[in-house]
Amino acid sequence: MAWPQRDKLPDNYGEESPGRYTSRGEAGRTLAAALSGILTSLADVPSGPAGPSTTSTPSIPATPAAPSTPSIPATPRPLVLGLSRGGVAVAAEVARALGLPFDVVPARKLGIPGHEEVAFGAIASCDGERRSDVDALLVRRLLASGFTEESLDRIRERESAELERQETLYLGGRSQGAGGRTVIVCDDGAATGDTARAAIAAVRAARARAIVLALPVAPPAVVRDLAKLADRVVCPRQPMAFRSVGGAYLTFPQCSDEEVLDLLAARG
């Protein structure tokens, strides 16, 4: 399988895209259209027996009663994973449009104490593999400006407990099954890429065959950074004047536990 270089950016890098998504569902359908062509170029189709069928030696008579030689196991179909919580709605639509299985990747942002909307890192888990991504430079700046290690540790402990709660609630002890597969990691957008980086690390630790990161919207600089970590990044809208993820949507309500559970239950 020939992958592009990890530092190669998408063809639409830095492209200004007018308009806004009506919902996370529409964002997922847009991503699915962009992903369909990529998936057809991957080697994630069932493989047949090893070697051509004409290689059997004709001088040895076949024994009708003998069992047939088992085929090489087929490569599993790609798996779509959505970051909790908003990314699950996007992933569900991507999976529905492409006819693929999907599941959730519990993920939590590590917000600066008193300014939780600004993250100094994130944590995520996949198949029991927990990984964190921390902005070391920002942490040093926070410590230099008066924040303490204890205050940051409390945030880590709190969000780790919430991550464990989500794992229990959303997964109920099951694993997502990323090992050996191409995994499409979806979120509803990325402002800084913290949760996406943590999710990529967790899915990579779960031994995914390859990782495609699918984002409806993100700043060009964030796409460039994430392209160094994922095997492929798909991001249809990369406005230079990026303000917020929510600003890329006409409606952007908070996703609840109930919505995530309903989407997971509807998988069939």
Side-chain angles (χ1 to χ4, degrees), residues 2-84:
W3 283 98
Q5 296 296 316
R6 286 194 182 175
D7 59 354
K8 182 181 179 182
L9 297 176
D11 293 338
N12 61 348
Y13 171 73
E15 177 182 292
E16 291 283 356
S17 299
R20 293 189 286 172
Y21 297 109
T22 58
S23 64
R24 291 182 176 92
E26 187 201 5
R29 291 187 291 274
T30 301
L31 284 176
L35 286 162
S36 60
I38 293 172
L39 293 180
T40 57
S41 68
L42 305 184
D44 283 307
V45 295
S47 56
S53 58
T54 57
T55 56
S56 58
T57 306
S59 60
I60 301 176
T63 305
S68 59
T69 303
S71 301
I72 297 175
T75 302
R77 286 189 301 160
L79 173 68
V80 182
L81 295 178
L83 275 64
S84 62

Side-chain angles (χ1 to χ4, degrees), residues 109-121 151 155 158-159:
K109 184 171 64 176
L110 302 176
I112 296 173
H115 307 275
E116 280 74 14
E117 71 282 357
V118 181
F120 65 87
S151 65
I155 297 296
R158 183 188 72 192
E159 297 305 334

Side-chain angles (χ1 to χ4, degrees), residues 251-262:
T251 58
F252 195 70
Q254 290 289 327
C255 289
S256 65
D257 284 338
E258 291 72 20
E259 181 177 353
V260 172
L261 292 172
D262 287 345

